[in-house]
Amino acid sequence: MRKPSKSADPSSPEMAFAQSELGQTLMRVLAEASSPGKRTVADYLLRNQMRVTAQGIEELAQSCHVSTATISRFARDIGFRNYAAMRAAVADTLQEMLQPVEKLRSTIEQRGRATSPAVESLEYAVANISATIGSLSQSDLDAVVRKLSRARAIYVMGFGLSSHLAGALVQHLQPFCSQVVEVVGIGGTEVAAGNLVGIGSKDVLVALSFPRYTLDCVRLASYARDRHAAVVALTDSPASPLAEVADHLLCVQSQHPVLPSSSSAALALIEALAVALMVSNRANVEKAARLTDVISTYLYGKK
């Protein structure tokens, strides 16, 4: 699994927590534990640090659908005397990782009804984009752009709530890449699997998945990895199921007070990748100019 870059300046609390000593321990459990119960607890801790600091062992066990004995064993297995000691370590780590974007979110939430739902949603979009800017490193972005620019074919896959994001990425990449395949399209899983049959070591799969995650996306990304294609995951957290199969992990914030997830930061990252690819070499700049010439006659006000 591709770990988050150590050089990143993580404004996202999830990214910051995952990069801490405790977070890295939980990431190893998530990736390596043979027990489904342990993986469930590790996943919950990576995603819900604030909630965990206020939960007793019974509440955590209920949230994870495991027994209190499983929670106690988990705490001991990762080096703590008991659950209370593990919870204290989560709280201490969070205290160190507190970032301005969380203060902004707290301010938004405390306003309550003073702010309309529409304005609150827009403010969450701003906070998510700000957190994403801080959590991504330039080296990670550059590495992905290099892979995209050198690929024989680029496959882009997103199911459900991520399908429109996949379509946007395809539209941005097509003018500048020799072959871009929208894996899912309108055909669902069966068509997606068929589109991936020819993927190989010279190709790149960009897989997008945000809560609520789609099992088919993870399975097909695993298939692409088994065929030695480079897998780039655009997702929301190091605890995302896509992280386990990704060569390059790009995490964007997707928190929202009403929707299952927000796509504003993901769309911003897609645009950023497209821009970086466009300016990566002179040939792409020339392609952009030719594209403008070709479509200009179809634009309103042009003759």
Side-chain angles (χ1 to χ4, degrees):
M1 178 181 66
R2 168 71 157 75
K3 298 296 191 298
S5 170
K6 292 292 185 181
S7 62
D9 175 20
S11 298
S12 154
E14 279 193 359
M15 286 293 292
F17 188 87
Q19 293 178 20
S20 69
E21 183 178 355
L22 175 56
Q24 290 292 294
T25 297
L26 295 173
M27 291 289 288
R28 285 193 293 273
V29 173
L30 187 64
E32 301 170 5
S34 58
S35 164
K38 284 186 176 181
R39 293 197 300 272
T40 298
V41 176
D43 179 82
Y44 188 88
L45 292 173
L46 283 163
R47 293 179 178 281
N48 302 279
Q49 305 95 33
M50 291 293 292
R51 189 175 300 174
V52 168
T53 61
Q55 286 183 317
I57 189 170
E58 294 85 2
E59 294 172 295
L60 179 61
Q62 185 176 12
S63 296
C64 296
H65 305 290
V66 299
S67 66
T68 56
T70 297
I71 301 294
S72 295
R73 284 195 301 272
F74 182 93
R76 291 195 298 270
D77 287 346
I78 64 172
F80 295 99
R81 183 175 66 257
N82 51 33
Y83 170 68
M86 182 177 73
R87 184 177 62 181
V90 171
D92 290 343
T93 302
L94 273 180
Q95 185 64 32
E96 296 174 4
M97 302 300 178
L98 187 62
Q99 298 291 334
V101 69
E102 282 306 294
K103 295 179 182 178
L104 172 59
R105 288 195 176 111
S106 177
T107 300
I108 293 171
E109 291 167 358
Q110 289 173 7
R111 273 192 242 145
R113 296 180 180 176
T115 301
S116 73
V119 172
E120 183 181 12
S121 182
L122 291 170
E123 289 180 325
Y124 263 80
V126 172
N128 283 332
I129 292 173
S130 296
T132 299
I133 292 171
S135 67
L136 291 172
S137 73
Q138 185 68 50
S139 60
D140 286 340
L141 293 172
D142 290 344
V144 170
V145 170
R146 284 194 299 271
K147 282 288 178 67
L148 294 176
S149 64
R150 298 170 183 173
R152 177 185 62 180
I154 299 170
Y155 295 79
V156 182
M157 178 172 64
F159 288 88
L161 295 175
S162 299
S163 60
H164 71 288
L165 294 171
L169 181 57
V170 167
Q171 291 296 314
H172 281 302
L173 294 180
Q174 278 180 336
F176 309 103
C177 302
S178 58
Q179 183 180 3
V180 181
V181 179
E182 188 170 2
V183 173
V184 180
I186 61 172
T189 304
E190 184 176 350
V191 170
N195 285 333
L196 284 176
V197 166
I199 198 168
S201 60
K202 296 180 180 180
D203 304 321
V204 174
L205 170 68
V206 182
L208 303 94
S209 188
F210 295 88
R212 300 174 289 253
Y213 303 114
T214 306
L215 180 59
D216 288 335
C217 188
V218 180
R219 287 175 172 169
L220 290 174
S222 297
Y223 170 81
R225 184 190 61 180
D226 292 343
R227 295 292 300 273
H228 307 293
V231 177
V232 177
L234 269 64
T235 188
D236 68 311
S237 167
S240 165
L242 266 186
E244 295 186 30
V245 301
D247 299 296
H248 299 275
L249 178 62
L250 300 179
C251 289
V252 300
Q253 288 295 287
S254 66
Q255 295 183 23
H256 197 277
V258 178
L259 301 173
S261 62
S262 168
S263 60
S264 53
L267 185 57
L269 177 58
I270 286 169
E271 293 178 351
L273 287 172
V275 169
L277 181 66
M278 287 172 63
V279 302
S280 62
N281 63 66
R282 187 176 299 276
N284 283 344
V285 177
E286 293 173 353
K287 288 179 184 177
R290 290 198 300 271
L291 178 63
T292 300
D293 290 340
V294 169
I295 67 174
S296 62
T297 57
Y298 299 97
L299 300 179
Y300 181 81
K302 299 290 184 179
K303 295 183 180 179

